[in-house]
Amino acid sequence: MIPYSTQTIDEADIQAVSDVLRSGWLTQGPAIERFEKSIADYCGVRHAVAVSSATAGLHLAALAIGLEAGKLLWTSPNTFVASANCARYCGAQVDFVDIDPRTLNMSVSRLQEKLESCRRNGKPLPDVIVPVHFGGVPCELQKMALLAEEYGFHILEDAAHALSARFQEEKIGNSMYSRATVLSFHAVKIITAAEGGMVLTNDDTFAAHVRSLRSHGITRDPQIMTTLPDGGWYYQQVALGYHYRMTDMQAALAVSQLHRIEEFRAARQRLAAKYHKAFGSLDLSWQEVPPNSESAWHLFVIRVPQEKRKRIFNQMRDAGIGVNVHYIPVHLQPYYRDLGFEPGNFPEAEQYYREAISLPIYPNLSDNDQQKVIAFVQNELLS
Ligand SMILES: *Cc1c(COP(=O)(O)O)cnc(C)c1O
C-alpha cells in the first residue's frame, strides 16, 4: 500500500532515540530543552513549550488565553476536530467560519462579514479565532490580525500542518500575528516525535503559564510559592494543571528530524510540482497557495466532480493507493450536531468535502509510486 502520508525515519533518528535510552533520563529532561530551543530558533519565536500532543497544546493555549464557560471560539469547519474541541474542554462555545473554496482555509471575507453581522445584531463576538493552515497553506494572518484588533479577539494558530511553511517570507510559528501557535509531531506530520506538540509564543507570561499547566500546575520555584519552601523536597501546586509532558525519547527523535526539515520541504515541494504539471489538463482543481505564501505541502488535496469521488477513492484504495479525505466538516460530527449545527451551515466546506481526495505526499514517496498515482488519476478523469 502506498500511504497518503508516512514518517521518514533514518539511522540518525534511531541513534538519537537509543542515546536517550542509554542516558538514564527518559522523561522530560535535556532533550526537551534542546528540542524547544531548536524549534524556537527555527521558527523565530521567543518561547517554545513542548507538550504531549497538539491537542494538549491547543487545550493549554486556550486556557492560557482565558477561555472558559461563556466565552466563544471560532474556527474553520475544514479541520481536525481538535481545533474546535479545545474550546469545549474549557467549557466555552464553538462556532465556525466557512472556507475560501480555493485556499480551503477560513475565508477572511466571510470572517469579516460574520463579525460585522454579530456586532450589528448584538450577538456575541468571539474571544478566540483559531485559523488552521490547512494542508500547510498559510491563512491570511495579517488581515486576520487587523480584524483581531478591531473586534478584540485573540488569534491562536493551529499549525499542525504547517511547520516549514512561510507567510510573507516569514516562517509560520513566529507568532507575529497571534497570541500563540500550536504544532503537532504526530507520525504523519511534517516532522515527528511519534506523538507530540509544541506551543509557540512571544509572550513571556503566556509561556510560563503553559509551562506550569503542562505539569499539574506544580512549581519548585520559591518565587512563585505562596510561602517559604518547607525544605529541599518542597513543591507547591498553584493551579489546576495537567500531565501533558513529552518524553526525552520523543524530543530526541524530533530534534534529529528537525535537522532534515528543509530537505523534507524540498521533497514535498517537488512532488507537488509534479502533480501540478501532470494534472493541468484534467477536470479537477487543487488547493491554491496565495502568492504571498509558501506551503509546507503536508497534504496534496484535489477536488474531483462529486459524482465521481467515491468511485475514484474506492478504486484507488483497491489498487493499493492510500488516498484519504481531509476533512469531514467538524460541524457535521454527531457531537457538534448535538450542539445545534446542521448540514447547510457552512456550504463551501460541505461542497469541498463531497469532492475532496488527498493524494499521497511524503518525502520518501518514490517517483515510481507517484507515477502510479498520477496515471490512476489521469485514467479516471479522462474516461
Ligand atoms: C493532527 C492535527 C491536530 C492534532 O494533533 P495531535 O498532535 O495528534 O494532537 C490538530 N489540528 C490539526 C489541523 C491536525 O491535523
Side-chain angles (χ1 to χ4, degrees), residues 51-58 78-84 132-135 158-161 182-189 194-198 298-299 326-327:
V51 286
S52 51
S53 67
T55 305
L58 286 163
N78 183 35
T79 185
F80 186 57
V81 293
S83 318
V132 181
H133 307 300
F134 175 75
D158 182 338
H161 299 180
V182 176
L183 302 173
S184 173
F185 308 109
H186 174 268
V188 301
K189 304 292 162 77
E195 295 278 7
M198 191 81 86
H298 167 60
L299 298 175
H326 299 93
Y327 282 101

Side-chain angles (χ1 to χ4, degrees), residues 70-351:
K71 302 228 165 164
L72 178 60
L73 174 149
W74 288 1
T75 188
S76 167
N78 183 35
T79 185
F80 186 57
V81 293
S83 318
N85 288 347
C86 62
R88 303 297 300 150
Y89 296 151
C90 306
Q93 298 300 115
V94 172
D95 200 355
F96 302 91
V97 179
D98 209 353
I99 61 169
D100 177 325
R102 290 158 306 158
T103 64
L104 310 178
N105 281 332
M106 180 191 285
S107 153
V108 185
S109 54
R110 277 169 200 278
L111 171 61
Q112 181 161 7
E113 281 164 26
K114 189 164 172 134
L115 290 164
E116 281 166 5
S117 148
C118 285
R119 180 180 272 173
R120 217 176 24 249
N121 300 314
K123 291 214 201 117
L125 286 162
D127 300 284
V128 182
I129 301 263
V130 178
V132 181
H133 307 300
F134 175 75
V137 173
C139 294
E140 285 292 341
L141 290 170
Q142 195 170 23
K143 290 181 186 158
M144 285 180 178
L146 289 174
L147 292 171
E149 211 163 293
E150 185 179 346
Y151 287 89
F153 58 80
H154 299 280
I155 297 177
L156 170 58
E157 295 174 68
D158 182 338
H161 299 180
L163 184 62
S164 82
R166 267 85 161 168
F167 177 71
Q168 295 173 345
E169 324 252 298
E170 305 269 0
K171 292 214 187 72
I172 288 295
N174 73 356
S175 306
M176 196 170 131
Y177 297 105
S178 61
R179 202 68 201 287
T181 304
V182 176
L183 302 173
S184 173
F185 308 109
H186 174 268
V188 301
K189 304 292 162 77
I190 303 293
I191 64 166
T192 190
E195 295 278 7
M198 191 81 86
V199 180
L200 309 172
T201 183
N202 293 303
D203 179 330
D204 300 354
T205 315
F206 190 97
H209 196 172
V210 170
R211 232 173 247 291
S212 160
L213 291 177
R214 82 171 162 188
S215 198
H216 310 279
I218 279 175
T219 184
R220 290 178 184 279
D221 179 356
Q223 299 278 319
I224 294 169
M225 292 184 189
T226 57
T227 57
L228 288 175
D230 210 18
W233 63 87
Y234 198 66
Y235 61 83
Q236 277 187 347
Q237 185 198 343
V238 294
L240 181 62
Y242 299 82
H243 176 181
Y244 281 167
R245 295 186 306 263
M246 185 188 273
T247 68
D248 258 32
M249 286 179 288
Q250 292 168 308
L253 172 57
V255 170
S256 175
Q257 291 253 306
L258 189 58
H259 290 140
R260 309 205 293 295
I261 192 163
E262 292 306 319
E263 201 180 295
F264 291 169
R265 194 169 91 93
R268 287 176 179 275
Q269 197 159 30
R270 196 178 51 82
L271 292 162
K274 206 156 151 213
Y275 278 136
H276 289 149
K277 196 157 163 224
F279 295 157
S281 57
L282 299 181
D283 183 17
L284 61 73
S285 64
W286 53 72
Q287 186 184 15
E288 282 180 27
V289 184
N292 58 357
S293 306
E294 287 177 51
S295 179
W297 298 111
H298 167 60
L299 298 175
F300 193 90
V301 167
I302 56 171
R303 298 181 73 156
V304 300
Q306 83 177 67
E307 64 284 0
K308 293 187 182 169
R309 197 274 299 269
K310 197 170 273 173
R311 195 194 69 214
I312 296 175
F313 180 93
N314 288 337
Q315 289 184 356
M316 290 185 86
R317 279 276 178 101
D318 289 346
I321 299 171
V323 284
N324 214 326
V325 171
H326 299 93
Y327 282 101
I328 304 160
V330 176
H331 68 285
L332 298 183
Q333 295 293 350
Y335 174 80
Y336 284 95
R337 290 291 303 272
D338 284 349
L339 294 174
F341 294 100
E342 290 177 355
N345 285 162
F346 304 101
E348 292 291 2
E350 293 171 32
Q351 187 54 35

